[in-house]
Amino acid sequence: MADDRTAATPDGGTEWIRRADYQPPRYRINRVELAVDVDARTVVTSRMQIERNAGADPEAPLWLDARDLELLSIRVDDAPLAADRLVHGNGGFWVHGLPTQCLIETQCAIHPEQNTALEGFYASGPMYCTQCEAHGFSRITPFIDRPDVLARFQVRLTADATRFPVLLANGDCIERGTLDDGRHFTVWEDPFPKPCYLFAMVAGDLALVRGDYRTSEGRPIALEFYVDHGSEGLVDHAMEALRQAMRWDEECFGLHYDLDTYMVVAARAFNMGAMENKGLNIFNSSLVLASTRTATDTTFDAITSVIAHEYFHNYTGNRVTCRDWFQLSLKEGLTVFRDQRFSEDVLGASVQRIEQARALRAVQFPEDAGPTAHPVRPDAYKEVNNFYTPTVYEKGAEIVRMMHARIGESAFREGLRSYLQQHDGTAATIEDFVQALSTAAGVDLDGFLAWYGQAGTPRLAVRREWLPEQGRMRLHFNQHTPATPGQPDKQPLPIPIRMQLLDGEGEVRPLPAHPARQGDDLLLMTEATLTLDIDSDEPLLPACLMGLSAPVILQGDYSTLDLQRLAVQAGDPYVRWDALQQLHAQAHRALMADDDSLLEPLLVSLQRIAAAPPEDEAFTAMLLAPPAMSWLWEQYDTLDPQRFMAAFQSLKTAVARALCGPLSVWAQRNPIAPGRAGQRALTNVALGYLLLLQSDAVLALARRRVCDDNMTLAMAALQGLNQTATGECTLANAAFYERWRDDALVLDRWFAVQAASPHCTVEGVQQLLEHPDFDWQNPNRVRAVVASFARENLSHFHSEAGYALYADILQRLDRSNPQIAARLCRPLIGFARLAEPWSGQQRAAARALRARAASPNLQEMLDAALHD
Ligand code: B3K
Ligand code: ZN
């Protein structure tokens, strides 16, 4: 196929789009003027200044993407287009016989209220808004819907003034006025050329909360948050996070905001977290609205990080965008890295880094080990929306972090700035970015490109050899990446290993001189093996991968005693935390075989940590908290889910018993003052454990706490009670519902904790789906029930009835919102790792669903697992 669709635009998801097929666009759109008449039937008129690119075949037709549009008219240079010059194709049409430059005017009609896919222009509650990434714009008007076509946009919105008093689009508002039929209009000009995926418009009756910001250059910026009436009091935190992010980008990278106004709109119905549209971010309301009464500390931190993420995209993503969607990690991995560094700076480096590591290991490592494993820069896809994954985002961020570690802070800053300068206003590739960093640092980083191309999580084995007669210890590192679908053979990757050597007293001994050594505590492994000779009078204990210096699985030759030492003595918080995770995993593995002998070393370590006065309670809470279930799950090749859950339960109960004393003290505190998040985290971990023991006093404490005015405390109590099958739990659920039934975001959490409960049966989940407040059209509500059930309530999900219900749910979602269906599909395609009869049952459910799956999104996910 040789037209502008190649490697760039959708064709209805029936064919593979391949990175190797990329061709530059034949035509560009220099400027577009949109006139949008907003209504239940919205009419969009578009005037595009089209120009054929130099070198393109003059005979080649122009391809315009257009999906689900009612095309009313098309004119070229103000004349109707002859019928034989318009040829319809899958997902768009060709226009033949164009001069080098022309003006194309199209008019089409769309129906936002019927748009349940939430892609394009759609209704979110009473307002209308857009989501264009990746290919939503071609559901609004015909366009060259690919990220390497950048145009200047002017948008005129017209609507009923009563129903839609607020009319927003990207850029600056240059005109507004009323019309005599009760309608009004606004006109927006965005001075920056942009790809159409960054287009946004909003029409609604929204409250405006204003803030301000002054750049370090002294330029005033208006900050505008548009929210539902009644939610005006819930934006303070997001507003402050935005200011912090703006300041941080100035201080760290010298990047200043470039428009006069920064707008954020909170939408009730949104497929993901937020969207970085130029000057007009649209956010899932769950990541904007918060007060200590209604949101948990975790939500506050998530708001900080997502507000920053979308803001940082203004440079990494918007000013410099991606050449094609294969380069998605160019903007996403880099921007996640930037938001991570920001969160480390404003929220605390060690705890944030452990959080990041925990999430990577709990979500991305499983993806890399499963049927949908793919490189950070994929080679082919059918539906690009399936590639907004933890691999592209989080593993992509880890690659940037490794390059940052290799070249250091100041060269990284210089490299990023020069990348932005060189490519400003254009669409770039991952090579462009790596090249700019390499040049700035004077270091060849090309070896890291292999990380973008190779799927799977490398295993890094570390073996110690003690040679007493030579007075030396030898450390053998060996890397190996298991095969992933379509990639049987793997090559060695550059792995930065940040490490320390501990002697018997816990003192740090220096690393020996070695060509792989890059700094005091940094080695760069570039081959399959690396051997380090260390002169020493005693065997040393290596603390490896400090701060998770590479996204790999460490396979150390550690004894239980070594792990216990690392958990207490290591200077690096991540290494301490990881050692405890390993002790948990060992104990769990033994419990799976009805052996409780490995509980003791874990419990002793936890008791030592609990006995020490906590310096940083948030960190202590992390050390004591149970491991993420999905990470623990990854420790096994084949699993009996019922045994897995029983062993997990025994593990947690054993910890609760062993630490009962300090846990009781922490659980009973009431740390409500702002800024006490660390204390709340520890209090909540403690309460969670103690509730497993089900004493009357603790049940009563939790029951009272469910009504606390601090949501972090209330939610933990509710969640903990839902792990018990008690009358207190029933009462608490009822009371909580009565209190919060009118607050959609809090009610989402109410649904989620119940679906996640090990006591919520498949019928119980069914009842939640039939609850009058359940809403199939609202992604937050759907995720609350459906994702919580499959990811946390494993004993009920893993049953024939559980799989059948899940498949039915996905089928239903697939018909209305394919992106959500595909994202939720993952738990149903993990059957290769399950023991029988679960494996066969889940495979059968997935196969039956495949036969009924309507969208390419869901089909592609299922096919990845069912290919055999
Ligand atoms: N760029 C968007 C994600 C778009 C997802 C499209 N299915 C949000 C973000 O990463 O900032
Ligand atoms: Zn992003």
Side-chain angles (χ1 to χ4, degrees):
M1 195 192 346
D3 58 50
D4 275 358
R5 293 190 301 172
T6 308
T9 58
D11 69 346
T14 50
E15 283 181 45
W16 289 102
I17 299 179
R18 292 178 202 284
R19 180 159 64 89
D21 291 345
Y22 175 82
Q23 296 285 333
R26 290 169 173 174
Y27 290 89
R28 63 173 179 271
I29 303 177
N30 292 322
R31 181 175 169 80
V32 53
E33 288 171 12
L34 292 183
V36 184
D37 207 349
V38 176
D39 214 329
R41 180 175 187 270
T42 289
V43 175
V44 182
T45 308
S46 159
R47 290 164 65 82
M48 297 175 280
Q49 287 174 13
I50 306 254
E51 189 172 343
R52 189 161 46 241
N53 281 322
D57 175 5
E59 300 299 311
L62 164 71
W63 168 260
L64 289 176
D65 298 286
R67 294 189 296 159
D68 297 336
L69 299 176
E70 184 190 336
L71 185 62
L72 305 174
S73 68
I74 175 163
R75 297 166 70 85
V76 176
D77 289 332
D78 287 324
L81 185 68
D84 62 349
R85 286 174 59 196
L86 180 74
V87 179
H88 289 276
N90 195 2
F93 52 83
W94 288 272
V95 185
H96 288 262
L98 290 180
T100 312
Q101 292 186 349
C102 64
L103 180 77
I104 297 189
E105 182 181 298
T106 64
Q107 192 168 64
C108 56
I110 50 178
H111 303 271
E113 288 175 25
Q114 292 165 27
N115 180 351
T116 58
L118 313 192
E119 189 190 5
F121 194 42
Y122 69 92
S124 164
M127 87 171 171
Y128 294 171
C129 64
T130 48
Q131 172 53 38
C132 292
E133 187 177 0
H135 291 301
F137 193 70
S138 47
R139 291 171 176 270
I140 296 173
T141 188
F143 208 75
I144 309 178
D145 190 351
R146 46 185 283 171
D148 56 353
V149 171
L150 284 78
R152 283 205 169 71
F153 280 73
Q154 187 182 89
V155 184
R156 181 190 169 94
L157 297 168
T158 311
D160 181 274
T162 312
R163 188 171 166 208
F164 301 108
V166 172
L167 296 173
L168 309 173
N170 316 83
D172 303 313
C173 183
I174 55 169
E175 200 187 338
R176 63 176 70 234
T178 50
L179 303 166
D180 43 14
D181 54 356
R183 297 172 76 75
H184 71 144
F185 70 92
T186 57
V187 182
W188 298 79
E189 177 83 34
D190 184 353
F192 294 94
K194 64 171 177 288
C196 66
Y197 82 83
L198 289 172
F199 169 84
M201 60 181 172
V202 170
D205 184 0
L206 295 163
L208 166 59
V209 182
R210 290 178 193 276
D212 51 24
Y213 179 78
R214 188 171 289 272
T215 68
S216 58
E217 296 167 328
R219 217 159 53 80
I221 313 286
L223 309 181
E224 301 186 346
F225 279 72
Y226 292 87
V227 299
D228 283 337
H229 291 285
S231 297
E232 295 90 329
L234 300 174
V235 299
D236 290 357
H237 180 78
M239 182 81 82
E240 188 50 30
L242 177 57
R243 286 197 192 95
Q244 285 176 309
M246 295 175 110
R247 189 65 72 208
W248 188 89
D249 224 11
E250 292 175 356
E251 284 171 1
C252 291
F253 293 109
L255 300 173
H256 299 81
Y257 186 57
D258 52 10
L259 287 165
D260 294 339
T261 310
Y262 193 91
M263 295 175 280
V264 173
V265 175
R268 293 182 208 171
F270 204 66
N271 276 349
M272 64 272 170
M275 178 65 211
E276 69 262 25
N277 318 298
K278 182 79 189 185
L280 176 54
N281 288 182
I282 300 181
F283 266 66
N284 189 318
S285 55
S286 69
L287 287 164
V288 177
L289 307 177
S291 71
T292 52
R293 281 191 79 237
T294 60
T296 64
D297 293 332
T298 310
T299 299
F300 276 95
D301 290 354
I303 291 173
T304 300
S305 116
V306 179
I307 287 272
H309 179 96
E310 306 312 331
Y311 176 70
F312 296 153
H313 267 315
N314 188 54
Y315 279 91
T316 51
N318 299 4
R319 288 283 288 262
V320 178
T321 190
C322 302
R323 187 193 73 172
D324 54 70
W325 291 121
F326 296 101
Q327 319 293 326
L328 182 60
S329 197
L330 174 63
K331 74 178 178 80
E332 296 304 348
L334 174 55
T335 305
V336 170
F337 173 70
R338 276 153 53 67
D339 85 53
Q340 289 182 346
R341 302 288 294 179
F342 168 73
S343 292
E344 289 161 33
D345 282 351
V346 300
L347 300 172
S350 48
V351 168
Q352 282 304 307
R353 185 59 189 148
I354 296 174
E355 262 310 330
Q356 295 157 13
R358 185 178 160 96
L360 185 81
R361 292 160 40 138
V363 186
Q364 196 280 323
F365 284 12
E367 181 167 76
D368 244 350
T372 57
H374 55 275
V376 172
R377 178 161 61 181
D379 297 318
Y381 60 75
K382 285 188 176 176
E383 172 51 64
V384 68
N385 284 307
N386 284 341
F387 286 82
Y388 287 75
T389 58
T391 297
V392 169
Y393 276 63
E394 274 74 28
K395 187 175 177 181
E398 295 300 322
I399 304 176
V400 177
R401 185 177 290 265
M402 288 189 288
M403 294 191 286
H404 175 275
R406 174 71 185 84
I407 65 178
E409 184 73 39
S410 76
F412 185 87
R413 175 192 149 102
E414 205 186 309
L416 179 66
R417 285 183 58 82
S418 99
Y419 158 75
L420 293 172
Q421 263 156 22
Q422 281 172 47
H423 301 281
D424 193 15
T426 69
T429 62
I430 285 169
E431 279 80 3
D432 294 329
F433 173 62
V434 174
Q435 184 59 52
L437 292 186
S438 298
T439 307
V443 172
D444 182 357
L445 294 173
D446 278 2
F448 285 92
L449 285 171
W451 274 99
Y452 286 100
Q454 186 164 290
T457 309
R459 271 54 171 168
L460 178 64
V462 187
R463 190 168 58 77
R464 288 163 293 175
E465 193 182 354
W466 171 230
L467 306 165
E469 64 290 351
Q470 298 173 24
R472 78 174 43 168
M473 189 175 86
R474 193 163 283 163
L475 266 188
H476 301 273
F477 293 92
N478 195 307
Q479 62 163 302
H480 162 76
T481 305
T484 54
Q487 277 191 345
D489 303 314
K490 305 288 185 176
Q491 65 183 98
L493 298 170
I495 299 183
I497 305 170
R498 211 175 270 290
M499 64 174 296
Q500 285 181 341
L501 296 165
L502 304 181
D503 67 17
E505 306 292 307
E507 296 298 320
V508 178
R509 297 277 184 94
L511 294 186
H514 189 281
R517 199 169 142 187
Q518 303 288 327
D520 284 352
D521 58 5
L522 186 65
L523 297 174
L524 182 67
M525 179 182 195
T526 50
E527 312 286 332
T529 60
L530 171 67
T531 306
L532 215 56
D533 274 330
I534 304 143
D535 291 330
S536 175
D537 47 1
E538 58 173 299
L540 302 174
L541 178 62
C544 297
L545 281 187
M546 287 164 27
L548 187 63
S549 57
V552 303
I553 293 174
L554 182 68
Q555 297 177 331
D557 61 349
Y558 295 120
S559 66
T560 300
L561 203 62
D562 292 334
L563 291 173
Q564 287 183 289
R565 276 187 62 198
L566 288 173
V568 181
Q569 283 183 348
D572 181 67
Y574 167 79
V575 171
R576 292 185 63 191
W577 171 80
D578 181 47
L580 282 166
Q581 299 282 300
Q582 303 302 334
L583 288 169
H584 272 102
Q586 280 188 5
H588 184 268
R589 183 177 288 278
L591 286 170
M592 292 276 278
D594 294 323
D595 165 8
D596 61 6
S597 65
L598 286 174
L599 275 175
E600 185 67 15
L602 169 69
L603 299 177
V604 168
S605 298
L606 293 175
Q607 278 166 334
R608 281 186 68 177
I609 288 160
E615 284 163 34
D616 174 350
E617 296 202 21
F619 178 51
T620 304
M622 276 180 152
L623 292 179
L624 297 182
M629 263 198 302
S630 59
W631 174 78
L632 205 50
W633 187 269
E634 284 305 299
Q635 310 306 308
Y636 299 91
D637 293 333
T638 312
L639 263 173
D640 167 344
Q642 305 303 336
R643 274 194 100 77
F644 175 91
M645 284 310 282
F648 191 50
Q649 206 64 19
S650 312
L651 183 67
K652 290 190 292 184
T653 311
V655 174
R657 286 213 183 86
L659 270 65
C660 189
L663 292 180
S664 299
V665 175
W666 289 323
Q668 282 171 40
R669 302 179 309 182
N670 201 16
I672 48 171
R676 297 260 174 93
Q679 288 184 12
R680 282 190 287 277
L682 191 53
T683 293
N684 288 343
V685 166
L687 184 65
Y689 274 122
L690 288 180
L691 276 167
L692 299 173
L693 304 180
Q694 302 203 10
S695 77
D696 289 346
V698 174
L699 287 169
L701 168 69
R703 171 74 188 83
R704 282 196 305 279
R705 195 164 279 167
V706 164
C707 303
D708 200 289
D709 276 336
N710 182 287
M711 186 53 78
T712 307
L713 296 173
M715 188 48 66
L718 188 70
Q719 198 167 5
L721 280 171
N722 273 278
Q723 299 294 305
T724 70
T726 57
E728 281 83 356
C729 174
T730 316
L731 288 172
N733 284 343
F736 194 89
Y737 176 76
E738 282 312 317
R739 184 166 185 199
W740 294 108
R741 57 188 300 170
D742 295 326
D743 186 315
L745 296 174
V746 179
L747 208 55
D748 286 337
R749 307 319 308 149
W750 179 82
F751 274 100
V753 293
Q754 292 180 81
S757 160
H759 306 289
C760 184
T761 59
V762 171
E763 293 72 40
V765 176
Q766 187 78 58
Q767 278 164 20
L768 290 174
L769 297 171
E770 285 161 13
H771 191 281
D773 290 307
F774 187 79
D775 179 359
W776 286 96
Q777 300 311 319
N778 185 292
N780 289 357
R781 193 57 51 92
V782 168
R783 278 186 284 256
V785 175
V786 178
S788 308
F789 168 50
R791 302 215 178 104
E792 289 170 66
N793 182 357
L794 301 188
S795 33
H796 291 105
F797 172 70
H798 289 288
S799 64
E800 201 157 17
Y803 301 147
L805 173 64
Y806 205 74
D808 286 348
I809 291 170
L810 292 187
Q811 187 191 352
R812 175 168 184 163
L813 289 170
D814 188 40
R815 287 194 301 259
S816 60
N817 189 330
Q819 279 188 41
I820 294 291
R823 285 194 92 81
L824 289 170
C825 174
R826 212 164 284 280
L828 200 66
I829 55 174
F831 44 80
R833 305 273 302 283
L834 289 169
E836 294 300 347
W838 299 277
S839 185
Q841 290 169 352
Q842 194 185 79
R843 182 192 297 269
R847 209 182 281 285
L849 176 63
R850 176 63 181 85
R852 298 173 280 157
S855 74
N857 309 55
L858 186 58
Q859 288 171 2
E860 185 179 29
M861 294 295 287
L862 291 165
D863 286 346
L866 290 167
H867 53 85
D868 49 330

